[in-house]
Amino acid sequence: MRMNEVSFTDAMPVDGYGPGFFRVGGQVVEGAVLLSDTGIAPWGGYADAESLMALVGDVDVLFIGTGADVAHIPAYLRSRLEEAGLGVESMTSPAACRTYNVLLSEGRRIAAALLPV
């Protein structure tokens, strides 16, 4: 088996998560979080659409982590983001963390909005 070292350039991967927190780039962040190539920011959940809209043009796909369980994001939020040209994929937060890390290592233009587990 060939092993390759993963490089994340300037962006920070999700190192771990637990009840109510995420560890990103070695830093523990409490509560919901928004990750992109510009850094880590608190996220106000589904009601905080403006933080997500600020990603339009800089990001091709936004992963929305819905917490420990799979859930649909509000239809108005999905519609608004997709109409602005942002691809949206919702999944559990653990799955969103893993997917974010893989695509981040490939240099993709992605972001993740994560609700805690």
Side-chain angles (χ1 to χ4, degrees):
M1 174 189 306
R2 181 177 171 184
M3 302 291 279
N4 294 321
E5 184 175 343
V6 176
S7 172
F8 292 102
T9 62
D10 293 336
M12 292 182 279
V14 179
D15 300 325
Y17 53 86
F21 76 91
F22 295 93
R23 192 172 56 247
V24 182
Q27 174 185 345
V28 174
V29 181
E30 299 286 334
V33 63
L34 178 60
L35 309 173
S36 69
D37 64 348
T38 60
I40 307 166
W43 181 46
Y46 300 135
D48 185 9
E50 293 312 311
S51 295
L52 304 179
M53 290 299 294
L55 300 169
V56 172
D58 296 329
V59 171
D60 296 322
V61 179
L62 170 66
F63 299 107
I64 298 183
T66 59
D69 299 316
V70 175
H72 292 286
I73 63 172
Y76 74 87
L77 179 60
R78 179 178 289 280
S79 295
R80 185 169 176 202
L81 295 169
E82 289 178 346
E83 287 172 7
L86 190 58
V88 179
E89 294 290 334
S90 60
M91 57 192 76
T92 65
S93 291
C97 290
R98 290 188 300 272
T99 306
Y100 174 81
N101 284 352
V102 169
L103 295 181
L104 186 66
S105 73
E106 295 175 355
R108 301 282 189 84
R109 294 175 6 127
I110 56 165
L114 307 168
L115 295 174
V117 293

